[in-house]
């Protein structure tokens, strides 16, 4: 038999298949990837650096949707706000990947480059070096938590007669639609206000 015109395996196909599995079930295994691609498990390992290598490919794939141009905006707080919104949208498209990606160190070169640019943005704005990573991590916590919230059911509190909660019921009725978006706006405004005040001191 001749070789197939399109190779069964390459890093792009492995990444796409792994992301499909994660979107469906929240995780992946190398044998599952191989089965979907009609290949042997050992063949997958010829293209990637094990499971950790696939996780980093997933990180790069999801992060590709973050607009790096946002970090070129001025002033610094406009850049940070735009980056946060783009970051949130990218991960909201694959919320089940978030727990997987948050439990392994970041090694993907293109992702590290974005962090480098974000750090440079804050240092250039005048933040002390000791303040930079707490700010970036806090923003990341807000963004990723909100991306997960977008995937949650609109009704996260099931009220029952067994536990009377009239004030909670009142508050839930008042919030209306778009609870996750409104909560993100509150968090982002608070974060940016704190960062501006920190720079002012």
């Amino acid at each position: 038999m001749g070789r197939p015109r399109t190779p069964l395996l390459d890093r792009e196909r492995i990444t796409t298949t792994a992301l499909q599995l994660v979107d469906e079930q929240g995780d992946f295994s190398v044998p599952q990837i191989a089965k979907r691609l009609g290949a042997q498990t050992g063949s997958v390992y010829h293209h990637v650096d094990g499971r950790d290598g696939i996780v980093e490919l997933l990180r790069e794939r999801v992060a590709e949707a973050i607009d790096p141009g946002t970090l070129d905006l001025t002033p610094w707080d406009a850049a940070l706000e735009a980056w946060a919104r783009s970051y949130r949208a990218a991960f909201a498209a694959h919320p089940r990947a978030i727990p997987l990606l948050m439990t392994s160190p970041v090694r993907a070169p293109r992702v590290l480059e974005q962090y480098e640019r974000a750090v440079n943005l804050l240092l250039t704005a005048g933040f002390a070096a000791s303040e930079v990573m707490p700010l970036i991590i806090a923003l990341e916590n807000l963004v990723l938590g909100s991306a997960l919230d977008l995937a949650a059911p609109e009704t996260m509190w099931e009220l029952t007669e067994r536990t009377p909660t009239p004030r909670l019921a009142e508050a839930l009725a008042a919030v209306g639609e778009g609870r996750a978006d409104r909560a993100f706006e509150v968090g982002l405004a608070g974060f940016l206000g704190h960062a501006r005040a920190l720079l002012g001191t």
Side-chain angles (χ1 to χ4, degrees):
M1 292 180 61
R3 290 177 176 271
R5 292 183 180 179
T6 304
L8 288 175
L9 289 177
D10 58 37
R11 289 163 70 91
E12 287 295 313
R13 290 183 179 205
I14 291 168
T15 306
T16 297
T17 303
L19 188 55
Q20 289 170 349
L21 288 165
V22 171
D23 286 343
E24 292 167 13
Q25 61 192 31
D27 204 350
F28 71 90
S29 71
V30 177
Q32 286 177 319
I33 293 172
K35 183 176 180 180
R36 286 216 176 172
L37 291 174
Q40 297 296 317
T41 299
S43 299
V44 175
Y45 286 110
H46 289 306
H47 297 270
V48 297
D49 185 17
R51 178 182 167 85
D52 289 346
I54 297 173
V55 170
E56 286 310 291
L57 289 172
L58 288 173
R59 193 189 308 279
E60 284 205 333
R61 175 67 64 84
V62 175
E64 277 177 2
I66 304 173
D67 179 6
T70 55
L71 292 169
D72 295 327
L73 298 175
T74 54
W76 67 269
D77 50 353
L80 211 56
E81 179 179 353
W83 187 57
R85 294 185 186 283
S86 184
Y87 196 149
R88 177 181 183 242
F91 278 81
H94 304 283
R96 301 188 81 176
I98 295 172
L100 178 67
L101 298 178
M102 293 306 101
T103 54
S104 65
V106 179
R107 300 185 185 93
R110 283 183 288 184
V111 178
L112 288 171
E113 286 169 7
Q114 281 211 29
Y115 281 102
E116 173 72 8
R117 292 180 65 191
V119 168
N120 184 60
L121 173 74
L122 294 178
L123 289 174
T124 301
F127 287 94
S130 60
E131 298 168 341
V132 169
M133 288 314 298
L135 283 171
I136 289 177
I137 293 167
L139 183 59
E140 188 173 59
N141 289 345
L142 170 64
V143 164
L144 295 176
S146 181
L148 280 172
D149 195 24
L150 283 170
E154 186 65 27
T155 304
M156 279 298 295
W157 295 265
E158 292 188 358
L159 309 187
T160 65
E161 293 182 1
R162 189 184 312 164
T163 307
T165 52
R167 303 312 296 271
L168 176 58
E170 179 185 359
L172 288 172
V175 75
E177 295 183 0
R179 168 187 57 79
D181 288 331
R182 291 177 63 185
F184 175 68
E185 295 300 329
V186 169
L188 185 57
F191 169 85
L192 290 171
H194 170 76
R196 292 181 188 115
L198 191 62
L199 189 60
T201 59

